Amino acid sequence: MRCESWLNNQNLSIPGFHTLRKDRAHARGGGIVVWIRKSLDFETITISLPRNVAEIFRLRLKNCRPKLDVMICFRPPSLKTTLQNWENIIQCVDVSRAALFMGDFNAHNKSWNCALCDNNGLNFEQAYAARGLSL
């Protein structure tokens, strides 16, 4: 998995892996690329968020037990993300399923061993805690 891939039309394949991409169409930088072993059965799941909130890619690995939802998020550091934005992002996690939510959130919080907290980190922590998730 790679957040902030900065890819446009480059071909970035690895032998033995599927390459899944979500390139940023509206601005420079950003984007997400995921490599999945060809032996894994998966499906992509569409998520729609306003483009000024975050970039998210979601897939479900179907040949593991239990099936695993994987969500990759990139939140550009220049965005001011409100608590409501973070709640919308966290709503993408289906808490009834096995799930892994990862990415580059560009948020800082002393709870994650950062030297300082910022509003993004505090809002993110509040949003995932309200959903019963842990980091």
Side-chain angles (χ1 to χ4, degrees):
M1 178 270 305
R2 171 93 175 135
C3 287
E4 201 168 5
S5 61
W6 285 73
L7 298 175
N8 290 321
N9 295 322
Q10 298 97 324
N11 183 6
L12 206 59
S13 61
I14 299 173
F17 289 80
H18 295 286
T19 303
L20 308 173
R21 294 171 52 165
K22 185 170 185 178
D23 295 341
R24 184 185 283 180
H26 61 275
R28 252 180 95 233
I32 297 169
V33 63
V34 179
W35 293 275
I36 300 176
R37 255 185 221 287
K38 289 191 174 181
S39 61
L40 292 174
D41 186 19
F42 68 93
E43 65 181 314
T44 58
I45 300 167
T46 303
I47 293 177
S48 55
L49 285 172
R51 73 176 188 192
N52 61 345
V53 173
E55 297 170 32
I56 296 185
F57 190 91
R58 181 175 173 188
L59 58 100
R60 178 167 296 140
L61 300 176
K62 300 191 310 184
N63 58 342
C64 11
R65 299 286 177 250
K67 294 177 182 173
L68 179 65
D69 283 4
V70 179
M71 285 139 299
I72 300 103
C73 176
F74 174 65
R75 191 196 68 79
S78 59
L79 288 181
K80 302 292 184 227
T81 308
T82 65
L83 177 58
Q84 181 63 55
N85 293 144
W86 280 116
E87 289 170 346
N88 291 339
I89 292 167
I90 296 298
Q91 287 296 321
C92 296
V93 179
D94 183 349
V95 295
S96 69
R97 304 184 71 87
L100 180 62
F101 185 51
M102 61 184 156
D104 184 351
F105 305 107
N106 284 301
H108 304 90
N109 193 306
K110 289 182 180 181
S111 298
W112 318 317
N113 296 322
C114 295
L116 301 171
C117 289
D118 62 20
N119 283 335
N120 287 312
L122 295 171
N123 287 337
F124 184 34
E125 180 180 43
Q126 187 176 343
Y128 73 70
R131 250 330 247 181
L133 302 174
S134 60
L135 187 64

